[in-house]
Amino acid sequence: MSTLTAEVGQTLPGFTRTLTRADLVRYAGASGDFNPIHWSDAAAADLGLPDVIAHGMLTMGTALRVVTDWAGDPGRVRSYSVRFTKPVVVPADSGAVVDFGGTVTKVEDGVATVAIEATCDGVKVLGAAVAEVLLG
């Protein structure tokens, strides 16, 4: 494992990902979460949703890429937690564009704490998204 360093205020490289209905189908198959709000317009409408929504865990997992891409090894992630604040609405024609980024907020005892941001159409979709990463 190569050496990884961090300092408070360091901005990690972010990325943008378009989540499509095909992504939702693939994730449903991989996760076993076939809740119809992730693939059925009618089921989403019945619950008052504007369209189908992405799986929260898909959004959460995609957001962690900010950290794993920077760290170079997913094994460096010591902990990760988020609060789901808004669903990612995935229109059939265009998908949903989600922007991800991260900032180091603390470095102590060989561990960097990273605050992760995830927004869709300028709206924060994950709150209190924090990962702890082993340095060294």
Side-chain angles (χ1 to χ4, degrees), residues 13-27:
F15 66 94
T16 298
R17 168 86 192 275
T18 300
L19 296 175
T20 65
R21 295 280 181 98
D23 293 323
L24 304 186
V25 171
R26 286 196 270 303
Y27 187 81

Side-chain angles (χ1 to χ4, degrees), residues 62-76:
T62 303
L64 188 60
R65 269 195 41 216
V66 168
V67 171
T68 59
D69 287 355
W70 166 69
D73 177 3
R76 287 184 181 273

Side-chain angles (χ1 to χ4, degrees), residues 21-59:
R21 295 280 181 98
D23 293 323
L24 304 186
V25 171
R26 286 196 270 303
Y27 187 81
S31 69
D33 181 353
F34 294 101
N35 186 323
I37 63 172
H38 303 302
W39 55 267
S40 168
D41 294 318
D46 285 348
L47 290 177
L49 296 169
D51 217 324
V52 301
I53 61 172
H55 301 75
M57 295 299 285
L58 172 60
T59 306

